[in-house]
Amino acid sequence: MTDFIREGRLFRVTGFLPSHRQLFLASEATLVDQTTTRVEVSFGHVELMFLKPFYRNGLHIRRATAAEFAVLSERHGIPAEDASYTWMLERDGDSFVVAANPSWREAEYELMGERQSLYDGPWPPEFPAESGSVD
C-alpha cells in the first residue's frame, strides 16, 4: 500500500465539482513552510466526505484501518463494501473521503508559468513534474 504523505505543508480544499463528483485539495509554495512546489490531490467518484477547509500540518492520505472504518461505518452509514474506498486524510484525525483511489501531482511552482492547476491542460506538462496515486 502506498500512502500519500506531505506533512508540514498547508493544504486547503480548492474545489468540489458535484456534477463529476470530484474533490480537489492543494498546497501552494510558501515561505512560511519553506516549500517551492505546488501539490494537488484529486479524488474522483466521491460518495461521502468529512473535511476541514484547511490542513495546517499537511496530509497523510491512507486507507482507513478496520477499526477506523468500523466507527465511520456505524456513525455515517457507510456500507461494508466501501471499506477499501475510505481514505483518511490525516495521520491522527477525523477527516475522510469515500471515493476512488486518489491521485496527486507536484511541480516546482516557478515552472508552472500561467498555469493555474496541474489538473488543467495537458498531462504531462512541458515542465518537470511528478504524479502518482494512492493504492
Side-chain angles (χ1 to χ4, degrees):
M1 180 186 314
T2 305
D3 293 356
F4 174 83
I5 303 170
R6 293 295 187 283
E7 294 175 330
R9 295 184 68 123
L10 173 66
F11 276 84
R12 64 185 173 90
V13 175
T14 56
F16 179 68
L17 302 173
S19 61
H20 290 85
R21 296 173 30 213
Q22 291 178 302
L23 169 67
F24 296 95
L25 296 101
S27 176
E28 304 289 340
T30 64
L31 291 175
V32 173
D33 57 21
Q34 308 269 320
T35 57
T36 61
T37 60
R38 178 177 172 90
V39 182
E40 297 177 27
V41 179
S42 171
F43 291 85
H45 304 286
V46 174
E47 290 289 328
L48 180 66
M49 56 187 164
F50 186 81
L51 305 172
K52 297 176 185 176
F54 296 98
Y55 293 88
R56 299 189 189 284
N57 297 316
L59 293 177
H60 183 147
I61 301 174
R62 58 185 175 74
R63 282 195 209 283
T65 65
E68 288 169 327
F69 181 77
V71 170
L72 295 175
S73 179
E74 182 177 324
R75 188 179 294 163
H76 301 285
I78 305 170
E81 58 268 15
D82 285 345
S84 61
Y85 300 104
T86 302
W87 306 95
M88 305 305 290
L89 301 183
E90 302 166 280
R91 184 178 302 276
D92 297 313
D94 293 327
S95 295
F96 70 92
V97 178
V98 178
N101 293 42
S103 64
W104 59 271
R105 295 179 178 180
E106 184 170 9
E108 288 292 328
Y109 182 75
E110 289 182 357
L111 300 178
M112 289 179 58
E114 298 295 316
R115 195 169 182 167
Q116 297 295 309
S117 170
L118 294 169
Y119 282 93
D120 291 342
W123 189 263
E126 63 282 357
F127 49 85
E130 295 181 38
S131 64
S133 64
V134 184
D135 298 322

